[in-house]
Amino acid sequence: MSRARTRSAAPDQACVAAVDLARAAAEELARPGVPGEHLGYESEGDRVVTHYFACQDRAYRGWRWAVTVTRASRAKKVTVSEAVLLPGSGALLAPEWLPWSERLRPGDLGVGDLLPSPEDDDRLVPGFTESDDEVEQQTIFEYGLGRARVLSAIGRDRTARRWHSGEHGPHTPIAHAAPAQCSTCGFYWLLAGGLRQLFGVCTNEYAPDDGKVVAADHGCGAHSEAAVLPPPVEMAGPILDDLGFDLMEEEAGSVGADDSEELGHS
């Protein structure tokens, strides 16, 4: 069985020759001189041809005017069907639209803002599935106890990666300069659940991360076991022997304090 071959219709010559008509339509939408040189045409179907013109507007570099012309069957007059401005290969385009939920970034939520979680949020699972005991799951589910949803395994993994690579993780200048890791600090309070092996909360009021979740391999200079510098050594004063001393008689001819003899000074 051979595949059926389709033959593309030859472009209508009357529509191909209507370059001036297409240019006039483009100038009517823009302004004279903005549609530039004729870039060619493309057959869209029976007696339908689209002409392309370069756009000379500096605000639309890389764009082109597309004017579609056509004529009715057995008619000689060609008319304009539509005229639009289309982007070319080097045109500057707006970024792809994203819903607001995907445009949010950490820190965007303000006072009074609400951020509902979708029903199919893969970071959350029904609350009763968090327990490993089947009897306990059934009891919590029947009585409606606990939270409606809890953090899923995917949500925990994303959270762990985000916290560990953030400013409270090990890859920060303050952590590199720390004398030891947070896991060995007395102010390190472990989290509960599956994240306790990796993270805790700093409880040192003098630390820069006080009240924040820090990685076990994070660190700062406020470590509880940081080495204490020895006190500075005070230099002792000179020792004078004031118990035994020799009296020296004043030599003759020495100048006394009450002597009014001229010393020859001017």
Side-chain angles (χ1 to χ4, degrees):
M1 181 177 180
S2 61
R3 180 180 300 179
R5 296 183 179 179
T6 58
R7 169 183 273 181
S8 59
D12 185 80
Q13 294 303 313
C15 294
V16 171
V19 177
D20 295 337
L21 176 65
R23 181 184 296 276
E27 291 181 347
E28 183 177 354
L29 289 178
R31 61 177 182 272
V34 172
E37 62 175 328
H38 184 240
L39 300 178
Y41 65 89
E42 183 178 357
S43 178
E44 304 287 354
D46 292 340
R47 299 180 301 279
V48 180
V49 172
T50 298
H51 292 273
Y52 296 99
F53 300 92
C55 182
Q56 303 295 333
D57 194 332
R58 291 181 297 176
Y60 291 90
R61 294 187 182 276
W63 291 63
R64 56 181 181 171
W65 288 98
V67 181
T68 302
V69 296
T70 184
R71 69 181 181 89
S73 177
R74 300 182 180 180
K76 296 183 179 180
K77 184 178 181 181
V78 178
T79 58
V80 176
S81 177
E82 62 178 348
V84 294
L85 187 61
L86 298 178
S89 57
L92 179 62
L93 301 176
E96 184 179 357
W97 182 84
L98 293 175
W100 66 269
S101 58
E102 298 182 18
R103 296 197 303 268
L104 284 177
R105 293 294 179 268
D108 290 347
L109 202 65
V111 178
D113 294 339
L114 298 178
L115 181 60
S117 299
E119 294 293 336
D120 57 348
D121 196 331
D122 57 1
R123 299 172 301 172
L124 300 173
V125 293
F128 67 87
T129 62
E130 182 65 15
S131 175
D132 295 330
D133 190 350
E134 295 181 1
V135 177
E136 184 179 353
Q137 290 182 9
Q138 186 65 24
T139 302
I140 294 176
F141 177 76
E142 289 179 357
Y143 288 94
L145 301 176
R147 294 166 291 170
R149 291 187 292 177
V150 295
L151 200 63
S152 66
I154 296 177
R156 286 196 299 268
D157 292 342
R158 291 180 181 176
T159 300
R161 288 196 298 267
R162 186 174 65 253
W163 286 356
H164 196 264
S165 61
E167 59 181 343
H168 306 300
H171 310 297
T172 58
I174 192 172
H176 291 164
Q181 296 181 350
C182 291
S183 59
T184 61
C185 180
F187 298 105
Y188 181 73
W189 189 267
L190 292 173
L191 294 181
L195 294 176
R196 66 179 287 113
Q197 297 180 352
L198 297 175
F199 302 100
V201 178
C202 178
T203 63
N204 189 347
E205 61 180 318
Y206 299 106
D209 299 320
D210 179 39
K212 300 176 181 178
V213 176
V214 294
D217 47 357
H218 183 61
C220 72
H223 194 281
S224 62
E225 310 306 321
V228 179
L229 295 178
V233 178
E234 297 182 0
M235 298 297 296
I239 299 176
L240 300 177
D241 184 8
D242 55 355
L243 296 179
F245 54 89
D246 297 333
L247 294 176
M248 299 182 66
E249 297 181 357
E250 183 178 358
E251 296 181 0
S254 62
V255 179
D258 297 336
D259 199 342
S260 59
E261 181 181 357
E262 295 291 338
L263 298 179
H265 296 290
S266 57

